[in-house]
Amino acid sequence: MISMARAAARTRVFAGRTFRSFAQVFAIDLRSLAAFRVILGAALLLRVLEILPNAAAFLSDEGVLPRGRFGQFDYADRASLYLLNGTPCFAIALLWLEGAGAICLIAGVRPRISAALCWVLHQSLVLRNPFIGSGGDVLAPLLLFWAMFLPIGARFSTEAVLAEPSAPTRVLNVATAGLLLQASYVYFFGAMMKTSPEWAVDGSAVYLALHNDAIATPLAYVLRGYVSVTQPLSFFVLWLEILTPILLFAPVQTDRLRLMVLPLLIAMHLGFRLFLDIGLFWVVSIASLVVFVPARFWDALHRPGRRATVAIYYEGSCGFYRKVVLLLGNILAGPTVSVLAAHDHGRMGALLTRARSWNRRFFALLTAAWTPARAYRLTPVAQVCLAWVLAFCLIWNFTGLRGVRRPQSLIAVADVAGVFGLTQSWGMFAPRPHVDYVLPVIEGRLADGSVVDVYHHHMAPPSYQWPAYPAGALGSSDWTGYFDALALRLTRNREAALLDYARYACRDWTAQHPNFPLREVRVTFLIGETLSAYASDRNAREAHRFACFV
């Protein structure tokens, strides 16, 4: 009996230690979730603002990919709200709605509902046009999916300010594990796909990436001249991505290891932003990394024992004033603010009574609508469903590696999983960075025979010379990605896609220059290539002619 009791006690001790280690690794501090929410919302808002000027071109039937063409590119099974209507006004309305959801996400107004709204709309955006976007557009819906099941508004939000303070400072469930693991997939599986000698042997991968003039910023032109710097950077990026899951999920010294590796990963993404124009992947990735920030970091920022140095008074009879003051105080000064009812202080109460404004009744009406949501907990059924999603994402990423066969049972549900944005691949710069790049020249011929620059809407002929910085020639990373796919990556029905673009170019020119109709459009691709001997070849060209019938 004594031995059995000892064995049971040891089992309980072991189980307790295992749970504490699991909690240390997979629990997320509520303040980290709040920072994640704000950064991700800002990234979504920036994405909306980025694509909004080109909504008609990329998201409507008047653009480069009409809905009727989806069947030719095996996209007929895609489910996107943008496919409900093909007008530019409808696409712009959906973008504005996503922008509003992103603002609510930043401010913490009904954050889980805002996350669900942004998830649906952004996934619809991704599915509408596969020729545009970056890794950030793939990662953002995945992060939003897990955010819908987490208390992302428990701190630094309107809900957190107005609700009663909660005792727990961190959350642990299947959704936290899913979010943390999803953030790590980008690095580990991305590294596993970098199988070329340029990454692991000669270290020329960063050199090749910086020589892709379609995405290279002016700073890249400076750095790529130093092979002694780019070579160790290649090895650094590869091994940092390989070691990231080991360091982030280490069961011992978890906080210290995370505080060591997170600045390196964030610095890597900032380097991407400074040297390569690859969209908003960098800021979405930083948002995913913030969830790993341990509690000790936030505790150091908000040291206990600080006395209030600012006092804000509100009219005690107006609930809306109280909520505005609470929110303002939390944003501006945090724990150094005291929020007090003026009627409890004679002098301040008298001042506010004399200054009572005419719009008090209007604010009283808003008070009823601005109330915090109830506390949220995952049900057992939700936990089981999310565990299945977690397992699917892990297996999908693993079976996407070279030499690993993807089971038929997984392929059978791929279409459904793709609608939810769960099918993912992190092959950026894998197995090696692209060595070819393209610059389009869109020449138009008017009815009188004169030649114009159709893309830039100039009445003068376009230049066929490579500019000093080709990455900025198109003015948008979406156009850069689109022409890259059109000229170099698309293998099926390429002529049909070129024809769609030519028709769009004719319509777009005619809409802006109705007195100068186009008779013909010539699409020429200037193709550059980075050679293995640290040289470049920019002599290749490819031209296509199309008649305009607008």
Side-chain angles (χ1 to χ4, degrees):
M1 294 292 294
I2 297 177
S3 60
M4 292 180 62
R6 288 179 178 177
R10 290 176 181 176
T11 301
R12 288 194 297 270
V13 171
F14 176 78
R17 290 177 178 176
T18 302
F19 178 79
R20 285 192 296 271
S21 298
F22 183 85
Q24 179 71 14
V25 171
F26 289 105
I28 302 178
D29 189 274
L30 294 177
R31 293 162 293 185
S32 299
L33 272 180
F36 157 78
R37 185 198 76 240
V38 172
I39 299 175
L40 183 58
L44 294 173
L45 184 59
L46 290 174
R47 182 65 179 123
V48 168
L49 296 175
E50 180 184 46
I51 198 173
L52 194 59
N54 297 308
F58 293 128
L59 306 175
S60 77
D61 288 347
E62 298 179 13
V64 298
L65 185 59
R67 292 174 297 165
R69 292 288 195 179
F70 267 50
Q72 298 185 22
F73 299 101
D74 293 333
Y75 303 143
D77 57 347
R78 294 195 168 211
S80 169
L81 293 178
Y82 287 89
L83 299 179
L84 297 177
N85 188 293
T87 62
C89 291
F90 183 76
I92 292 173
L94 290 181
L95 287 175
W96 276 108
L97 185 59
E98 183 178 351
I103 293 174
C104 291
L105 197 62
I106 295 171
V109 179
R110 293 291 189 267
R112 290 191 302 276
I113 296 177
S114 300
L117 176 66
C118 290
W119 173 64
V120 172
L121 291 171
H122 200 77
Q123 182 62 12
S124 294
L125 174 63
V126 172
L127 294 175
R128 175 58 180 89
N129 194 329
F131 298 148
I132 63 173
S134 65
D137 290 309
V138 178
L139 181 58
L142 290 162
L143 300 179
L144 288 167
F145 175 85
W146 294 110
M148 292 188 296
F149 305 98
L150 292 170
I152 55 176
R155 296 291 187 273
F156 310 142
S157 69
T158 56
E159 287 192 357
V161 172
L162 304 178
E164 294 295 328
S166 58
T169 59
R170 64 179 185 173
V171 60
L172 172 64
N173 54 36
V174 177
T176 61
L179 180 58
L180 293 170
L181 288 171
Q182 180 59 62
S184 69
Y185 293 160
V186 178
Y187 306 100
F188 181 74
F189 290 106
M192 293 297 99
M193 291 182 176
K194 295 179 172 67
T195 56
S196 68
E198 287 82 357
W199 282 107
V201 180
D202 57 38
S204 61
V206 170
Y207 174 90
L208 294 176
L210 295 177
H211 274 78
N212 186 334
D213 288 342
I215 59 175
T217 67
L219 284 177
Y221 285 74
V222 178
L223 180 62
R224 69 191 192 183
Y226 298 92
V227 179
S228 59
V229 177
T230 60
Q231 187 177 49
L233 278 178
S234 299
F235 299 133
F236 169 77
V237 170
L238 178 63
W239 282 103
L240 179 61
E241 291 183 345
I242 292 174
L243 295 175
T244 286
I246 299 174
L247 297 174
L248 291 180
F249 294 103
V252 294
Q253 300 293 326
T254 307
D255 290 356
R256 291 184 179 180
L257 289 174
R258 288 182 175 180
L259 290 174
M260 178 186 72
V261 72
L262 287 176
L264 296 177
L265 291 169
I266 292 174
M268 181 180 70
H269 286 294
L270 292 176
F272 289 160
R273 176 62 187 91
L274 290 174
F275 297 103
L276 299 172
D277 183 10
I278 53 175
L280 295 173
F281 175 68
W282 67 280
V283 65
V284 178
S285 298
I286 290 177
S288 71
L289 292 172
V290 169
V291 295
F292 290 96
V293 175
R296 65 167 61 182
F297 175 83
W298 304 110
D299 293 338
L301 293 181
H302 299 282
R303 293 186 299 274
R306 295 167 62 185
R307 295 184 177 181
T309 58
V310 177
I312 301 179
Y313 294 89
Y314 67 95
E315 187 177 358
S317 60
C318 182
F320 185 80
Y321 285 154
R322 175 180 177 273
K323 293 175 179 180
V324 170
V325 169
L326 282 171
L327 182 60
L328 182 65
N330 187 268
I331 293 175
L332 296 181
T336 64
V337 148
S338 289
V339 177
L340 306 171
H343 64 264
D344 294 334
H345 299 76
R347 180 170 174 269
M348 288 297 175
L351 286 174
L352 286 181
T353 300
R354 289 196 298 269
R356 184 176 299 165
S357 59
W358 63 271
N359 53 9
R360 179 180 173 186
R361 291 185 178 180
F362 172 72
F363 287 149
L365 292 175
L366 294 179
T367 303
W370 192 4
T371 55
R374 293 177 297 176
Y376 172 77
R377 289 186 179 181
L378 285 178
T379 64
V381 175
Q383 297 257 24
V384 172
C385 294
L386 291 179
W388 183 91
V389 174
L390 189 155
F392 174 87
C393 292
L394 177 61
I395 298 172
W396 183 270
N397 277 287
F398 178 75
T399 55
L401 298 178
R402 184 178 180 181
V404 181
R405 184 179 180 181
R406 184 162 286 163
Q408 289 297 324
S409 58
L410 209 63
I411 298 175
V413 297
D415 291 339
V416 177
V419 172
F420 290 91
L422 302 179
T423 52
Q424 52 194 280
S425 178
W426 307 111
M428 184 181 294
F429 304 122
R432 68 168 184 172
H434 290 308
V435 296
D436 50 354
Y437 48 92
V438 65
L439 177 70
V441 179
I442 315 301
E443 177 187 294
R445 191 170 297 274
L446 303 181
D448 61 1
S450 56
V451 178
V452 296
D453 185 345
V454 176
Y455 183 85
H456 297 99
H457 290 277
H458 293 162
M459 298 302 294
S463 172
Y464 284 84
Q465 300 297 319
W466 285 87
Y469 301 109
L474 300 181
S476 166
S477 60
D478 285 318
W479 280 115
T480 300
Y482 170 76
F483 283 117
D484 181 81
L486 193 61
L488 303 174
R489 318 297 168 205
L490 189 62
T491 58
R492 182 179 178 184
N493 291 320
R494 183 164 174 261
E495 289 299 324
L498 284 166
L499 179 60
D500 287 336
Y501 173 75
R503 289 172 175 171
Y504 159 74
C506 293
R507 288 192 299 265
D508 186 51
W509 175 274
T510 301
Q512 299 194 37
H513 308 278
N515 297 326
F516 301 94
L518 280 176
R519 185 182 67 188
E520 181 184 88
V521 168
R522 178 178 179 178
V523 180
T524 302
F525 295 122
L526 308 182
I527 301 174
E529 181 181 6
T530 304
L531 305 177
S532 58
Y534 298 101
S536 295
D537 179 11
R538 289 181 169 183
N539 297 319
R541 290 190 181 188
E542 179 185 308
H544 307 266
R545 290 179 181 271
F546 302 93
C548 288
F549 299 98
V550 179

